[in-house]
Amino acid sequence: MNFLDAHKIVAGFKGGAPLRFLLATSGTPDKLDLFLRAAAANRGFLAHVRTLPFGTLGQTLRIAPVADEIEVFCLFPWDFIPEADWRSGVPSTSADEEALRSHALATAEHIAHRRLARVLYVAAPIPPLLTNPTDGANLERWLGSVIQSIGARLLPAETFSLASYLANGSPFAGTLLGQLAEAVIDRAISAPPEPKKVLVTDLDNVMWSGVIGEDGVEGIHFTPEGVGYRFFLYQTLLAKLQREGAILAAVSRNDEDLALAPFRAGGMTLVENDFVSIVASYNAKSAQIAEIASRLNLGLDAFVFVDDNPIELAEVSSSLPTVRCVQFPPNDEGIPRLFAELSELFARATVTGEDRERTAMYRRRLEGMAPSEAQGADLTTFLQDLGMTLTLHDRTTGDRARAVQLINKTNQFNLNGRRVSDEEVGAVLASGGRLYGASLADRSGSHGEILACLIDEDRVVRSLVMSCRVFQRRVEHAFFAWLATQNSPPAALDFAETERNEPMRQFFRDAAFQENGLISFDPARFAEDHRDDMSLFAVHEERSNQESGTRD
Amino acid sequence: MNASTTAKLQDIFRAVFELMPEANVTGISQTSQQSWDSLAHVLLVAAIESEFGITLDAADQLRMPSFEATQLLLEEKGL
């Protein structure tokens, strides 16, 4: 979108729903105004953009946001490291790298605490600040990972124009104003970030005061007195978050028996079973976290890592940039802020029974997880031995809260990534659609309701999601084989590729699916091809009129 | 500068200074156009950069006191 296109769009726009937000940037934003209004108009919105006076971003970050105001931050390296601002010239002395990093982390933390903040980051070049150019390059890379860890979307370096910045204080390249405005509006209308799922915590000097390998069980402190008090408080916060659906895990550079000793000695608020996994090894913390993510089959962007050691945080931040890294404070004064940040990251509008049971369910999943080398016949035997029961729920009438929740929080096995309101689901059902759910249990216990499928009156599947904690169990195949034998099975699926739904794409490689706009579905062929998958489950049908039946 | 580029430049001037579609802009300058203040100059530069995919540095921007001078500058840049 060039200038004259933008002008024409705005001139011809008849008006739409108001889109109010703050565009927070340290430079002069005036020349973006027309492009923002055009980008909003293209999406049917009438933009009302509040901007900041030149050079007041730092002050803004230190005062509370305006209530319920969406904030789109468009940031540059010098917003985190003021010494890197081209308009100030190259510093006369080589900068203190530790001080630069500390200031950058503090700024990132200020932004992370703002509930409705969405961040765009332009990785513009910076002047040389450090004596060694290699250190400078490392600093830039580190800064990029810190900024990504607060959920920033990166924009190309060409979005910055030094000529414009020097001439009039506007850092934005005139040639890319259209693309920049599109990105800003995308962020302004994007859904708020999803709550994090997994809190990975360090142990020594985070879970307790002291180093277990040196001080022993008798020498560490975690009770509500003296030096142990804030560690006791931290454990009570983690217990609360776990009750509300957060999954706890721990990593420690230690021997396993040492790391587990305080839990097994008793007396702590948290016990071993409150954690889905406690990984103790001498591998890098990033490798330990990656192993947990792999075993839980969860994306790293769902992870928060808490450690007291800035070096460990930097290592994780650098290797796993989408993990949100949070420092455990070195003194009591930092505790309220830490608690506020973690509570915000894991905030949920409602807490369901599924949320409360999540850690236990994931523990069962790890216990029942197929060895990675299991293939073919071995995998089938493994699955058969699990003694799985699949319960199909007809949610067309009655309670559908869990099904709607699943549709709105599942990313990987998700047909199209579209979120739906309860009212929208109700409208599909009122028009003759159907809603199914499925629960899974096995010899280790219940995994809860793990699948939801919304089919409209034209037999098109509009939503299909399955929890990633039951991957590799052929649940989706069994469900579709069952669906294929129902009256009026679906004829097609409304698929859309998203950044995260690769498992869905893999599922559609089955020969019964053909892509022709929608994904067409051949029920007879699928049912025939997947009889073996059905045989892995005892299938129990729970109909909406409370009738039920079982078949093996 | 060909006719199409000239027409686009005229449209840019009309849009930035909020003039009627038929307004003749070939004679306007910072002294004749009251609304041509420093902010309008920034917007004009951005509009030209966006529309023609070029970058104008501080020295270039000082050489744009009128439509005629701007047209000459752009011709020097190969437009």
Side-chain angles (χ1 to χ4, degrees):
Chain A
M1 176 170 61
N2 293 343
F3 173 80
L4 290 174
D5 299 328
H7 188 261
K8 194 172 170 186
I9 291 165
V10 170
F13 186 50
K14 303 295 182 200
L19 176 63
R20 299 178 197 280
F21 66 96
L22 168 70
L23 173 62
T25 186
S26 55
T28 307
D30 303 285
K31 67 188 189 186
L32 256 178
D33 179 65
L34 175 75
F35 293 87
L36 290 172
R37 286 188 284 136
N42 271 339
R43 291 158 178 78
F45 292 104
L46 182 61
H48 297 272
V49 187
R50 186 168 78 87
T51 57
L52 303 176
F54 180 81
T56 60
L57 178 68
Q59 296 92 310
T60 301
L61 284 176
R62 284 159 181 80
I63 58 175
V66 173
D68 295 329
E69 183 180 50
I70 291 168
E71 301 176 317
V72 180
F73 286 87
C74 187
L75 303 172
F76 293 82
W78 41 93
D79 295 322
F80 295 86
I81 300 176
E83 291 84 348
D85 193 338
W86 288 99
R87 288 176 68 93
S88 305
V90 179
S92 56
T93 57
S94 186
D96 174 352
E97 185 174 354
E98 197 173 322
L100 298 182
R101 288 182 186 240
S102 172
H103 190 280
L105 280 175
T107 302
E109 208 171 305
H110 280 303
I111 296 166
H113 279 103
R114 301 177 83 88
R115 190 172 58 89
L116 295 177
R118 293 93 195 262
V119 184
L120 295 165
Y121 179 66
V122 181
I126 61 174
L129 300 177
L130 304 175
T131 307
N132 184 338
T134 306
D135 292 341
N138 287 338
L139 178 66
E140 285 186 61
R141 270 196 299 277
W142 171 84
L143 181 59
S145 64
V146 166
I147 290 159
Q148 268 194 291
S149 77
I150 59 171
R153 180 175 156 194
L154 299 185
L155 296 174
E158 296 74 29
T159 309
F160 170 66
S161 164
L162 183 60
S164 173
Y165 194 41
L166 297 181
N168 52 52
S170 175
F172 308 114
T175 51
L176 292 179
L177 290 173
Q179 288 95 316
L180 175 59
E182 301 277 359
V184 170
I185 297 298
D186 280 347
R187 292 302 267 177
I189 63 177
S190 65
E194 292 181 15
K196 301 290 184 183
K197 292 180 179 172
V198 186
L199 190 153
V200 183
T201 181
D202 181 34
L203 296 178
D204 286 336
N205 286 319
V206 174
M207 193 64 73
W208 50 73
S209 169
V211 178
I212 186 66
E214 295 179 9
D215 304 323
V217 172
E218 301 302 319
I220 61 172
H221 302 277
F222 45 75
T223 53
E225 57 189 352
V227 295
Y229 220 133
R230 63 195 165 97
F231 303 93
F232 161 78
L233 292 176
Y234 178 65
Q235 290 199 26
T236 60
L237 174 74
L238 263 52
K240 172 183 180 290
L241 295 177
Q242 194 245 22
R243 284 196 303 274
E244 294 171 354
I247 298 167
L248 302 183
V251 293
S252 179
R253 287 191 201 245
N254 233 320
D255 292 327
E256 187 173 304
D257 57 336
L258 281 174
L260 293 175
F263 296 98
R264 291 176 177 172
M268 293 209 300
T269 303
L270 291 170
V271 299
E272 195 175 339
N273 274 355
D274 290 325
F275 293 81
V276 72
S277 181
I278 297 175
V279 178
S281 73
Y282 290 94
N283 292 332
K285 295 270 176 75
S286 61
Q288 296 176 339
I289 294 169
E291 180 189 338
I292 293 170
S294 168
R295 295 182 69 206
L296 295 176
N297 206 13
L298 289 170
L300 284 161
D301 58 355
F303 279 64
V304 174
F305 174 51
V306 181
D307 200 308
D308 62 312
N309 185 337
I311 305 300
E312 300 280 20
L313 291 166
E315 187 274 324
V316 170
S317 191
S318 172
S319 302
L320 309 173
T322 55
V323 172
R324 175 65 174 277
C325 292
V326 177
Q327 183 165 14
F328 190 85
N331 50 48
D332 294 350
E333 301 307 315
I335 288 292
R337 187 164 192 162
L338 171 75
F339 281 23
E341 182 169 6
L342 293 179
S343 298
E344 190 71 50
L345 287 169
F346 288 92
R348 284 176 164 73
T350 57
V351 178
T352 65
E354 297 280 336
D355 293 329
R356 284 187 283 271
E357 292 297 315
R358 185 162 289 118
T359 293
M361 287 193 288
Y362 271 95
R363 282 185 73 90
R364 282 197 286 277
R365 180 182 187 280
L366 292 185
E367 286 162 11
M369 202 163 82
S372 57
E373 67 275 17
Q375 299 286 335
D378 288 347
L379 181 60
T380 302
T381 305
F382 174 82
L383 293 175
Q384 283 168 339
D385 289 343
L386 285 177
M388 294 186 287
T389 298
L390 189 64
T391 302
L392 289 318
H393 312 281
D394 185 343
R395 301 288 190 212
T396 306
T397 58
D399 181 15
R400 58 177 181 249
R402 171 62 181 164
V404 174
Q405 185 196 44
L406 260 181
I407 292 170
N408 286 317
K409 72 173 195 175
T410 305
N411 292 314
Q412 295 183 81
F413 197 91
N414 187 322
L415 182 64
N416 46 36
R418 289 185 204 116
R419 304 317 194 193
V420 293
S421 66
D422 185 67
E423 290 73 22
E424 288 169 317
V425 173
V428 171
L429 299 180
S431 304
R434 288 165 289 157
L435 178 64
Y436 295 110
S439 299
L440 182 71
D442 61 23
R443 66 180 185 210
S444 62
S446 171
H447 294 271
E449 195 164 339
I450 42 74
L451 183 148
C453 177
L454 177 65
I455 306 169
D456 70 17
E457 73 275 22
D458 297 318
R459 296 170 55 208
V460 175
V461 177
R462 292 298 172 194
S463 296
L464 172 65
V465 297
M466 186 180 75
S467 168
C468 53
R469 66 174 182 256
V470 296
F471 279 4
Q472 299 178 49
R473 289 167 179 258
R474 313 292 287 174
V475 170
E476 64 273 42
H477 298 85
F479 173 74
F480 261 75
W482 171 81
L483 199 56
T485 63
Q486 303 303 297
N487 288 334
S488 302
L493 298 93
D494 184 14
F495 170 72
E497 187 172 324
T498 72
E499 286 182 2
R500 305 278 299 279
N501 68 355
E502 172 61 20
M504 198 84 236
R505 294 196 287 274
Q506 289 177 5
F507 181 55
F508 286 139
R509 289 182 192 140
D510 191 289
F513 298 105
Q514 296 291 326
E515 185 164 8
N516 51 2
L518 295 172
I519 301 276
S520 69
F521 176 54
D522 181 342
R525 178 167 187 172
F526 196 94
E528 177 67 25
D529 289 350
H530 293 281
R531 280 183 181 164
D532 288 346
D533 291 321
M534 279 293 274
S535 72
L536 293 169
F537 301 85
V539 176
H540 180 81
E541 294 180 15
E542 187 183 82
R543 302 188 186 97
S544 57
N545 59 6
Q546 305 305 312
E547 293 175 24
S548 63
T550 301
R551 58 180 176 167
D552 294 329
Chain B
M1 184 176 281
N2 64 34
S4 164
T5 305
T6 304
K8 275 188 180 177
L9 185 61
Q10 291 179 355
D11 285 342
I12 288 169
F13 271 74
R14 291 185 191 105
V16 169
F17 298 114
E18 299 176 347
L19 302 173
M20 302 299 286
E22 66 277 9
N24 181 359
V25 294
T26 56
I28 71 170
S29 67
Q30 283 178 329
T31 48
S32 70
Q33 185 66 33
Q34 267 201 331
S35 59
W36 194 335
D37 57 16
S38 58
L39 175 59
H41 198 72
V42 169
L43 300 181
L44 178 64
V45 169
I48 290 170
E49 289 182 326
S50 164
E51 198 57 40
F52 298 121
I54 60 171
T55 299
L56 301 170
D57 64 19
D60 293 328
Q61 294 179 28
L62 292 172
R63 295 177 57 203
M64 298 168 50
S66 66
F67 177 88
E68 196 179 0
T70 303
Q71 188 176 24
L72 188 62
L73 174 72
L74 297 186
E75 282 173 354
E76 286 178 18
K77 289 186 170 291
L79 288 176

